[in-house]
């Protein structure tokens, strides 16, 4: 079957740190810097953050370890790994959902990342901060509803993603994450220091860290749970695919905990870069998705050296989006390379182009095509809803059930690198068997408006 040959020629990460940085690069993205701050703002701050941290610990870390274990053990893509572990059974459908979710998520992720890229250049040229603060919202809406410009930025962003993925695991993905991730850390720290040292920053800091549980709503808890998934890149086979390039000597439980901590730390730091500044200048933290494109540029206008910091900020988002988008494209690329024996170059270009084209209606749906709706949602929102609220939780649920039940406890503990006698081994199995499935089902029923 040429199996031996196929396994020999399959790439692996060059170093352990290269793998850790690439997985962190996948997890840390628009979810951390764009979405986490605005959903925290909308849902009341510190109490929401505590619920989010609990979700990461109870569901996120166990499922991340499950995905790594499945990928590393089989050295296969999201679909092939399920087929290999349970031949002849329908579990591989989990991987098909993953490939579909990757396709949908990347299509609109590229659109938002294109906005960030465009805002980086607007910040550099000074055009952004020349917009009067009270016209920032109109400026943003005007830009994203234009037909051509956002699409050109999306095409540029996707071209960069494709070029990195074509280069492969070591020379493309690992190399770029090794450069971009430390840079990202430094940029974010500079922004945090600027923000927390502004006069009046204290209010923003207590918004993030002094919980008021009376303000917590049931829907906030569900938002936190759903976001834990998205932020850790779970439920669509990304961590299975990245796990499949991990050498045998890497300790997966330590890696899963480390990557989750880094992702969460980054989200909190993004909050610390944004909220103290938002409060210091009397802006509203609950401004929703426009927070970083509308509220923040207005904040930068009032800040000393605001232009410099605005360039750093939008560069930060663009780079974080790039390392995540790379990991999303790798899911279908790895699948098509094995399944249809395509070369990496062919798989990356063909799939990359199809996904990019599919993103165009998402972009147009915010302007010219806003009249076209599916179930009351515009195209962008419909694709986001399908992928984030249905496919990702479904993928996570099936993965938890697969490793928790279908594989058998002994095999699962063996591939996860945990022992049955240890408390961590027991907790992991318990989490996969009961805690994660029950909580995910509640979130999904809620998303489908059934409860
Ligand atoms: N985790 C990324 C973020 O927070 O922006 C988004 C993402 C990447 C989601 C990869 C899912 C995925 F498989």
């Amino acid at each position: 079957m040429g199996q031996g040959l196929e396994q020999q020629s399959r790439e692996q990460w060059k170093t352990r740190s290269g793998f850790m940085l690439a997985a962190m690069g996948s997890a840390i993205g628009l979810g951390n810097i764009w979405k986490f701050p605005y959903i925290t703002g909308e849902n009341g701050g510190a109490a929401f953050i505590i619920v989010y941290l609990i979700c990461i610990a109870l569901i996120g870390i166990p499922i991340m370890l499950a995905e790594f274990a499945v990928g590393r053990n089989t050295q296969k893509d999201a679909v092939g790994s399920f087929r290999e572990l349970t031949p002849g059974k329908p579990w591989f459908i989990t991987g098909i959902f993953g490939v579909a979710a990757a396709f949908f998520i990347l299509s609109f992720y590229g659109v938002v990342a294109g906005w960030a890229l465009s805002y980086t250049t607007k910040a550099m040229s000074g055009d952004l901060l020349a917009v009067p603060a009270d016209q920032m919202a109109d400026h943003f809406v005007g830009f994203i509803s234009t037909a051509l410009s956002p699409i050109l930025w999306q095409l540029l962003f996707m071209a960069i993603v494709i070029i990195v993925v074509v280069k492969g695991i070591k020379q493309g993905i690992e190399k770029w994450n090794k450069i971009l991730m430390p840079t990202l850390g430094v940029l974010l720290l500079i922004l945090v220091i600027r923000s927390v040292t502004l006069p009046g920053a204290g209010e923003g800091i207590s918004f993030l860290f002094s919980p008021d549980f009376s303000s917590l709503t049931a829907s906030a808890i569900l938002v936190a749970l759903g976001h834990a998934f998205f932020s850790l890149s779970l439920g669509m086979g990304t961590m299975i695919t990245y796990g499949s390039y991990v050498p045998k000597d890497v300790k997966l439980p330590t890696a899963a905990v480390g990557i989750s901590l880094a992702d969460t730390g980054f989200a909190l730091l993004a909050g610390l870069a944004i909220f103290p500044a938002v409060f210091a200048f009397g802006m509203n933290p609950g401004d929703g998705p426009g927070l970083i494109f509308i509220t923040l540029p207005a904040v930068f206008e009032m800040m000393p050296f605001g232009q410099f910091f605005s360039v750093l900020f939008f560069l930060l988002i663009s780079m974080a989006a790039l390392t995540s988008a790379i990991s999303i494209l790798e899911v279908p690329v790895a699948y098509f390379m094995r399944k249809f024996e395509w070369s990496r170059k062919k798989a990356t270009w063909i799939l990359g182009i199809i996904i990019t084209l599919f993103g165009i209606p998402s972009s147009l749906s915010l302007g010219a095509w806003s009249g076209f709706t599916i179930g009351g949602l515009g195209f962008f929102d419909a694709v986001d809803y399908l992928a984030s609220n249905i496919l990702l939780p479904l993928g996570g649920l099936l993965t938890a059930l697969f490793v928790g039940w279908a594989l058998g406890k002994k095999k699962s503990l063996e591939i996860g690198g945990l022992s049955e006698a240890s408390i961590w081994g027991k907790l992991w199995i318990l989490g996969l068997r009961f805690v994660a499935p029950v909580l995910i089902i509640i979130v999904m029923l809620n998303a489908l408006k059934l409860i």
Side-chain angles (χ1 to χ4, degrees):
M1 279 166 61
Q3 185 109 355
L5 198 74
E6 182 192 295
Q7 300 236 325
Q8 259 172 28
S9 60
R10 206 165 185 278
E11 278 196 273
Q12 286 205 329
W13 304 108
K14 194 153 117 201
T15 59
R16 181 178 174 278
S17 64
F19 155 63
M20 292 292 285
L21 287 172
M24 287 175 192
S26 170
I28 298 167
L30 293 172
N32 302 61
I33 307 170
W34 173 58
K35 208 164 173 193
F36 178 79
Y38 88 72
I39 57 177
T40 301
E42 282 178 339
N43 290 288
F48 173 81
I49 293 181
I50 292 177
V51 175
Y52 176 73
L53 296 180
I54 296 173
C55 295
I56 294 280
L58 291 187
I59 308 181
I61 296 177
I63 295 186
M64 188 183 286
L65 177 56
E67 292 205 9
F68 282 154
V70 166
R72 209 252 308 259
N73 181 255
T74 58
Q75 312 264 299
K76 290 238 156 61
D77 55 276
V79 181
S81 50
F82 287 97
R83 272 204 198 278
E84 175 154 321
L85 285 168
T86 42
K89 301 250 173 68
W91 284 104
F92 70 92
I93 293 172
T94 314
I96 305 266
F97 282 142
V99 173
F103 189 94
F104 290 131
I105 290 190
L106 187 52
S107 74
F108 68 82
Y109 204 85
V111 174
V112 181
W115 302 344
L117 216 50
S118 150
Y119 266 59
T120 310
T121 58
K122 281 187 215 249
M124 282 178 181
S125 70
D127 288 355
L128 182 62
L129 299 199
V131 176
D134 61 349
Q135 286 168 31
M136 213 45 106
D138 290 343
H139 180 80
F140 176 62
V141 174
F143 166 64
I144 65 171
S145 58
T146 319
L148 196 58
S149 176
I151 292 175
L152 294 178
W153 286 105
Q154 178 218 357
L155 293 185
L156 176 66
F157 177 82
M158 290 302 297
I160 302 173
V161 174
I162 292 172
I163 288 167
V164 174
V165 175
V166 162
K167 291 265 177 208
I169 301 304
K170 288 196 187 77
Q171 289 306 317
I173 302 179
E174 180 165 353
K175 191 168 119 193
W176 280 100
N177 272 292
K178 273 192 158 167
I179 299 169
L180 292 176
M181 293 310 290
T183 316
L184 212 60
V186 173
L187 291 188
L188 187 58
L189 282 180
I190 298 174
L191 287 164
V192 170
I193 293 169
R194 169 66 282 190
S195 181
V196 299
T197 52
L198 285 167
E203 210 185 323
I205 298 175
S206 60
F207 177 76
L208 279 173
F209 297 113
S210 324
D212 167 15
F213 284 99
S214 65
S215 65
L216 199 65
T217 61
S219 87
I221 298 175
L222 300 172
V223 171
L225 199 56
H227 186 64
F229 253 88
F230 185 83
S231 191
L232 293 179
S233 302
L234 299 177
M236 54 175 254
T238 311
M239 293 308 188
I240 297 181
T241 308
Y242 269 18
S244 74
Y245 307 121
V246 175
K248 291 280 177 234
D249 56 344
V250 172
K251 286 200 171 54
L252 295 180
T254 325
V257 172
I259 292 157
S260 303
L261 284 178
D263 183 66
T264 309
F266 232 88
L268 293 175
L269 284 177
L272 263 184
I274 293 173
F275 290 114
V278 166
F279 277 90
F281 293 106
M283 307 290 285
N284 175 14
D287 273 346
L291 183 69
I292 65 164
F293 293 104
I294 299 169
T295 316
L296 269 193
V299 166
F300 287 128
E301 277 178 7
M302 292 181 263
M303 200 186 255
F305 303 105
Q307 187 183 2
F308 171 73
F309 290 108
S310 67
V311 173
L312 284 194
F313 184 78
F314 287 105
L315 205 58
L316 175 82
I317 302 176
S318 306
M319 285 172 17
L322 176 63
T323 53
S324 297
I326 288 168
S327 76
I328 309 180
L329 184 55
E330 181 63 18
V331 174
V333 164
Y335 170 57
F336 275 71
M337 280 173 65
R338 177 191 58 84
K339 174 88 183 164
F340 302 106
E341 296 186 355
W342 284 5
S343 69
R344 170 169 286 278
K345 198 168 161 191
K346 177 174 171 188
T348 310
W349 276 105
I350 292 183
L351 295 164
I353 288 173
I354 296 175
I355 292 171
T356 307
L357 292 178
F358 196 74
I360 290 177
S362 275
S363 183
L364 289 174
S365 75
L366 302 169
W369 291 6
S370 60
F372 170 72
T373 57
I374 307 168
L377 293 175
F379 195 80
F380 184 114
D381 293 328
V383 176
D384 181 13
Y385 182 87
L386 171 69
S388 311
N389 293 344
I390 299 173
L391 291 174
L392 286 194
L394 197 61
L397 173 66
L398 291 173
T399 308
L401 295 176
F402 179 75
V403 178
W405 296 99
L407 274 190
K409 203 159 145 192
K410 203 163 152 272
K411 174 82 178 168
S412 295
L413 287 162
E414 180 202 317
I415 68 173
L418 286 169
S419 91
E420 197 176 350
S422 80
I423 175 83
W424 300 117
K426 290 195 177 77
L427 284 176
W428 185 49
I429 295 290
L430 195 73
L432 292 179
R433 286 194 166 175
F434 303 106
V435 183
V438 169
L439 292 176
I440 295 171
I441 287 172
I442 296 176
V443 175
M444 286 186 65
L445 290 177
N446 180 269
L448 295 170
K449 304 206 170 31
L450 297 174
I451 53 170

